[in-house]
Amino acid sequence: MQEDKKLKVGIFIDSFFPMIDGVVNVVNNHAKIMNNYADVTVFAPKGRGTFDDNKLPYKVVRCSKRLKLSFLDYDLPLPKIDRKFIKEMENSDFDIIHIHSPFSMGRVGLALAKKKNIPVIATIHSRYKIDFFDATKSEFITDIMAQNVNSVYEKCNECYAVNKQVGRAYTQEYGLKKKPKVQNNGTDLVYYDNEEEIDKLRKKYQVKEDEKILFFVGRMVKLKNIFFILDALKILKDKNFKYKMIYVGDGPDLNELKEKIEEYNLSDQVIVTGKIADRNEIVKHYRLADLFLFPSVYDCSSLVQIEAASQKTPTIFIRGSVTSGTCTEGVDAFFCEYNVEDFASRIIEIFNDKKEYEKIKDGAYNNLYVTWEQATKKVYEDYLKVIENYKNGKYSKEKIKEIKERKKDISEIVKDSLKDRKKQKEEEKKLLKKEKSELKKQKNKSSKTSKTNKKNK
């Protein structure tokens, strides 16, 4: 840690409190802990509803200009037309900038870093192509939007991804030339050992002795596969598996979920709590649960799986999903195929093998549980390295090398193109010569036939 002066850090995010999601939690926890040994300012849009920024230990600068999106549960910030926001941003003095979005807030953060001649880091939280295609239903538009996202990340000095699979997806599928490094998330939760409070919660939800408690927490959106879970729950009921399912969270598809629960006649087995903001209550729910259900193929590396691990609650994932990339099957997590029947069957199998279940519980706690203090210390150390590398001109040298390589690539493409064109012309000449020769032969043949006919006459 620097002792002579505190590091000044600017963080940019496209959504913030009162909205709560994975990215908001990441930024809040990093900023809260890092503020103990650095000066941290978070630049964020004004959200829907009210929130007191003064209760946060770090400084928050809000962008009040926004475009309201009625079909989503958040708005599009418009920082470039917010004069007050721009003024406060440009008057700030930072050593490094960290963007957590490639969109409007991330772009102004990137522009500020270039203007102030300081390094900028980006963390990749999502596989945006899924969102783009879901919104546009067009592969062509999706590819253009993905290239637009890449253009932001390419301009950053370093990129971080939440696991190896996400980094690989961006380099192999999205065409990102800059290879992202891995930056693991953490949790503020510690193991909850108050059994009396857990028993109270069990009684509140009227959990019977022979019932297993299944759990999901997150935004109530179809992309999280909340209806996939519900379909599996229906199968479990049909197979007479005894359980209580608890959904925690809020979102645009919450009402539809409630309607489906009624339609499936699962009201006695399934509980929907809505959003729980109190972390003391959240930790109790994780501790109460026997199994965390996370069949999302959308998420990259969700915080909830680390939070579940902190309470020795194992998670079941879809095999091959990106978010399962930090786990090992049979060691610290359960896996199944991407179909509802296998998901339901696997849940029954999990509880039929008590020895295996206990092993995975301990593995999740020992391998996946990382505190925010540990994760933030690593981020801070990375900041110091990036600043030092920036001052030493490492990124300028890399940029020059990259430009030279691109020029070389272009030159090779041009050469190949010229070679191909030369080859094409040679082939065209050969073909033309051949055609002329054939034509000449035909003329000679025709001439001979004509002379013979005249002689015979």
Side-chain angles (χ1 to χ4, degrees), residues 148-211:
N148 203 24
V149 165
N150 279 358
S151 70
V152 174
Y153 292 143
E154 293 287 2
K155 289 170 187 170
C156 296
N157 299 111
E158 296 285 359
C159 282
Y160 293 93
V162 287
N163 62 33
K164 285 180 183 177
Q165 282 78 355
V166 175
R168 197 179 297 125
Y170 269 81
T171 52
Q172 293 179 2
E173 297 171 28
Y174 290 43
L176 186 68
K177 293 179 180 68
K178 191 183 294 294
K179 188 180 177 183
K181 296 175 182 176
V182 175
Q183 191 181 77
N184 293 318
N185 290 322
T187 179
D188 59 326
L189 302 183
V190 293
Y191 186 74
Y192 192 83
D193 58 1
N194 190 329
E195 295 296 337
E196 191 179 325
E197 287 297 311
I198 298 301
D199 285 339
K200 283 181 186 177
L201 199 57
R202 192 180 293 273
K203 284 172 186 173
K204 176 186 172 182
Y205 292 131
Q206 299 177 347
V207 181
K208 294 172 186 173
E209 213 170 297
D210 61 347
E211 288 179 330

Side-chain angles (χ1 to χ4, degrees), residues 117-163:
N117 195 25
I118 55 173
V120 57
I121 287 175
T123 295
I124 303 169
H125 291 276
S126 299
R127 294 163 73 199
Y128 295 109
K129 275 181 105 169
I130 297 171
D131 296 311
F132 297 156
F133 186 78
D134 189 57
T136 65
K137 301 293 184 288
S138 165
E139 287 188 14
F140 177 71
I141 296 171
T142 296
D143 286 340
I144 290 171
M145 292 171 82
Q147 286 169 23
N148 203 24
V149 165
N150 279 358
S151 70
V152 174
Y153 292 143
E154 293 287 2
K155 289 170 187 170
C156 296
N157 299 111
E158 296 285 359
C159 282
Y160 293 93
V162 287
N163 62 33

Side-chain angles (χ1 to χ4, degrees), residues 263-395:
E263 184 188 320
Y264 285 180
N265 196 26
L266 291 174
S267 299
D268 291 338
Q269 284 86 16
V270 182
I271 298 153
V272 180
T273 68
K275 183 168 75 173
I276 298 177
D278 188 339
R279 298 295 285 166
N280 291 323
E281 285 301 311
I282 282 288
V283 73
K284 289 178 195 176
H285 283 74
Y286 278 117
R287 177 69 175 77
L288 175 70
D290 294 304
L291 184 65
F292 189 74
L293 310 185
F294 205 57
S296 172
V297 291
Y298 163 75
D299 289 84
C300 290
S301 181
S302 183
L303 300 180
V304 290
Q305 63 202 63
I306 305 170
E307 292 177 352
S310 77
Q311 304 308 305
K312 295 188 179 180
T313 301
T315 300
I316 178 169
F317 297 95
I318 299 299
R319 189 176 284 109
S321 63
V322 174
T323 194
S324 68
T326 53
C327 311
T328 306
E329 185 173 4
V331 176
D332 46 37
F334 297 105
F335 289 62
C336 76
E337 297 305 319
Y338 192 18
N339 66 72
V340 174
E341 289 80 10
D342 193 56
F343 192 69
S345 298
R346 190 75 183 98
I347 289 170
I348 295 170
E349 287 171 9
I350 286 166
F351 292 109
N352 282 341
D353 191 337
K354 289 180 182 178
K355 190 178 177 182
E356 179 74 2
Y357 175 76
E358 290 298 324
K359 184 186 95 173
I360 302 297
K361 268 180 69 172
D362 292 337
Y365 182 79
N366 294 327
N367 300 346
L368 309 177
Y369 176 35
V370 179
T371 67
W372 278 120
E373 282 79 8
Q374 292 167 319
T376 305
K377 185 183 177 184
K378 174 73 170 61
V379 171
Y380 184 84
E381 287 168 355
D382 284 345
Y383 284 172
L384 296 179
K385 285 177 190 173
V386 170
I387 291 167
E388 187 181 348
N389 287 336
Y390 191 85
K391 286 177 179 175
N392 292 338
K394 179 193 170 186
Y395 300 113

